[in-house]
Amino acid sequence: MRPAKALPDLPTQAHPAGAEALRRCAELARFTSHPGALTRLYLTPEHRAAAGEVAEWMRQAGMTVAIDAAATVVGRYEGTTPDAPALLLGSHIDTVRDAGRYDGILGVVLAIQAVGALHARGERLPCAIEVLAFGDEEGVRFPVTLTGSRALAGTLDPAMLEAVDDDGITLRAALERFGCDPTELPSLARDPRRVLGYLELHIEQGPVLEAEGLPVGIVTGIAGASRVAAEVVGVAAHAGAMPMAARHDAVTAMAEMVLAVERVALATPGLVATVGRVEATPGAVNVIASGARFTIDLRSADDAIRARALERLRRELAGIATRRAVGLRLRETYDEPACTCAPRLVGALTDSVTRLGQRPFLLPSGAGHDGLAMAPLCPVGMLFLRCEGGISHSPEERVTAADAEAAGQVLLDFLCHFDPRGATAR
Ligand code: HGY
Ligand code: MN
Ligand code: MN
């Protein structure tokens, strides 16, 4: 007698939706300017390719899709009544240089999958849902950032269109090459009466959830940030012939300034400061540097702490420049106030996390997010996912399928319980 046909191998894959989300992030990681690493900057060909893939995923999830004048991919899933006000979901699909594959992208993918689950069930909500895939959250290519989310909030400064990248290309020209019309940017500003809120899922990018042994956390607020471009002007001279006492060395002056940034941050509770980029000109082994440039990134949940630290740094760096007889120019390229997440969204996320059997845990975000730019427009909420070792902005960024699945379930539960009445209550 022939043995009963063995059961087909049932998908032994636990957490299928979570695994699918990670698979999509891996797929999107193919769109990079540096094969073997992930670098996808705003308005580049790789951004365009990733936007196309995300648009196709949105269509498959039952959304109508457009790419707006700031190159944000906007997917819309209508509610039970057409043209209803929308709850906005999403995150960003641009990356830092040599990035991890989950920062930003995972939040877009989980939002698309949540809408896809509703679409598969033929379910409509009492509001519309829009999924936004922003293209400029990192602000790496141009000395501006949050372009897409600021456009929706109606807070874009037209002057930023003249910002130039390392190749001297203006943001205006890059938008036009991407196929966007910069003159349409002002028309992107949303009517606050038609926006119920903005909810972003994002990896924590820190070690807290891992230390707590939790897959997800509810964000209470997003730290404010300042970015400064510093330029030191020295005097080029021969490395061998110029006596030490007679030098105006831009690099050693920069080095003392960089340590001053660290010293001020170490002395200021609630503040973190980073010098992430340094350059020397002419950059030759046997030339005393005539110029040096570096960036300063300051963060704090308290805007007053950040402002005082910036003033103290201006004074201290100027003092170093005077003592070393070099020139110094400091240009603030970014100043985004801290934002508090809407208590109503924090409460609704807490309910969803609880319903799904997880311990609700509240934590602040030291990292910046598009929510900072969306806060003037509408209530903002964020759900964090644990990431291994808290590592991010690195190819070592890791998320488990189980955690991605848990976050996706919280989002779906949140959507199914979301009550648009009174949603805009802050
Ligand atoms: O800089 C930040 O906090 C974000 O990753 N752009
Ligand atoms: Mn991010
Ligand atoms: Mn980032």
Side-chain angles (χ1 to χ4, degrees):
M1 184 170 96
R2 285 163 51 87
K5 191 169 180 313
L7 280 175
D9 283 335
L10 293 175
T12 53
Q13 188 182 59
H15 321 301
E20 173 64 7
L22 302 190
R23 187 194 65 75
R24 292 185 192 225
C25 291
E27 200 168 316
L28 227 48
R30 292 178 298 123
F31 303 120
T32 175
S33 56
H34 291 70
L38 174 51
T39 299
R40 184 165 62 240
L41 306 188
Y42 187 35
L43 301 175
T44 57
E46 43 280 0
H47 173 199
R48 153 99 19 237
E53 182 91 359
V54 164
E56 181 51 29
W57 291 342
M58 289 178 175
R59 275 188 282 273
Q60 290 166 3
M63 291 183 250
T64 54
V65 187
I67 295 185
D68 75 13
T72 300
V73 189
V74 181
R76 183 173 170 95
Y77 185 72
E78 289 301 341
T80 45
T81 51
D83 202 29
L87 172 67
L88 308 181
L89 306 177
S91 190
H92 61 94
I93 58 173
D94 65 318
T95 74
V96 294
R97 298 185 196 285
D98 197 14
R101 59 177 58 166
Y102 303 114
D103 174 3
I105 299 101
L106 182 55
V108 173
V109 167
L110 288 171
I112 292 172
Q113 291 189 185
V115 173
L118 295 172
H119 178 56
R121 300 186 323 212
E123 204 167 328
R124 297 276 170 185
L125 301 182
C127 65
I129 300 177
E130 289 190 20
V131 178
L132 306 168
F134 292 118
D136 180 34
E137 190 278 336
E138 298 293 1
V140 171
R141 179 178 176 186
F142 297 96
V144 293
T145 184
L146 305 179
T147 307
S149 39
R150 281 180 173 165
L152 296 187
T155 58
L156 264 188
D157 173 0
M160 41 67 84
L161 284 170
E162 308 319 319
V164 291
D165 68 7
D166 290 348
D167 299 324
I169 298 170
T170 64
L171 175 50
R172 179 192 308 279
L175 281 167
E176 288 163 351
R177 285 184 200 172
F178 195 86
C180 296
D181 177 356
T183 62
E184 289 177 8
L185 285 170
S187 68
L188 296 183
R190 294 295 181 95
D191 176 347
R193 292 166 301 178
R194 299 192 45 70
V195 177
L196 298 170
Y198 172 71
L199 174 61
E200 180 169 350
L201 273 61
H202 199 291
I203 54 172
E204 177 201 339
Q205 300 179 295
V208 174
L209 290 178
E210 186 175 63
E212 288 289 333
L214 293 171
V216 296
I218 299 140
V219 179
T220 54
I222 307 171
S226 301
R227 291 183 185 176
V228 176
E231 188 175 2
V232 181
V233 181
V235 177
H238 194 293
M242 181 57 69
M244 291 306 289
R247 296 181 177 205
H248 302 279
D249 185 335
V251 163
T252 51
M254 173 174 69
E256 188 175 348
M257 292 176 187
V258 169
L259 289 176
V261 170
E262 183 186 52
R263 181 169 31 81
V264 167
L266 288 170
T268 310
L271 179 88
V272 290
T274 310
V275 173
R277 184 171 178 172
V278 295
E279 292 166 19
T281 45
V285 64
N286 57 354
V287 178
I288 300 167
S290 56
R293 292 196 297 173
F294 62 100
T295 58
I296 304 170
D297 178 308
L298 298 177
R299 310 286 177 103
S300 177
D302 181 327
D303 291 336
I305 290 176
R306 179 165 54 92
R308 281 197 301 272
L310 187 52
E311 275 320 299
R312 178 176 168 186
L313 277 172
R314 287 184 188 283
R315 289 194 306 274
E316 296 211 13
L317 301 190
I320 294 168
T322 304
R323 185 161 33 80
R324 287 174 170 269
V326 295
L328 173 65
R329 274 195 291 273
L330 297 176
R331 186 166 50 90
E332 195 173 5
T333 60
Y334 177 77
D335 173 20
E336 198 63 49
C339 104
T340 302
C341 291
R344 190 174 178 277
L345 296 181
V346 171
L349 284 169
T350 302
D351 294 346
S352 291
V353 168
T354 306
R355 271 193 293 270
L356 286 157
Q358 297 288 353
R359 172 166 65 94
F361 181 81
L362 276 61
L363 73 167
S365 173
H369 301 283
D370 283 294
L372 286 171
M374 297 297 279
L377 172 65
C378 63
V380 168
M382 285 196 79
L383 182 76
F384 271 171
L385 286 85
R386 172 172 45 189
C387 54
E388 200 174 297
I391 300 296
S392 181
H393 282 190
S394 157
E396 298 312 309
E397 220 169 67
R398 294 277 183 280
V399 174
T400 65
D403 288 358
E405 180 107 355
Q409 288 171 347
V410 169
L411 177 57
L412 197 51
D413 179 275
F414 175 93
L415 294 177
C416 293
H417 289 83
F418 182 71
D419 177 356
R421 291 162 307 174
T424 49
R426 296 275 178 159

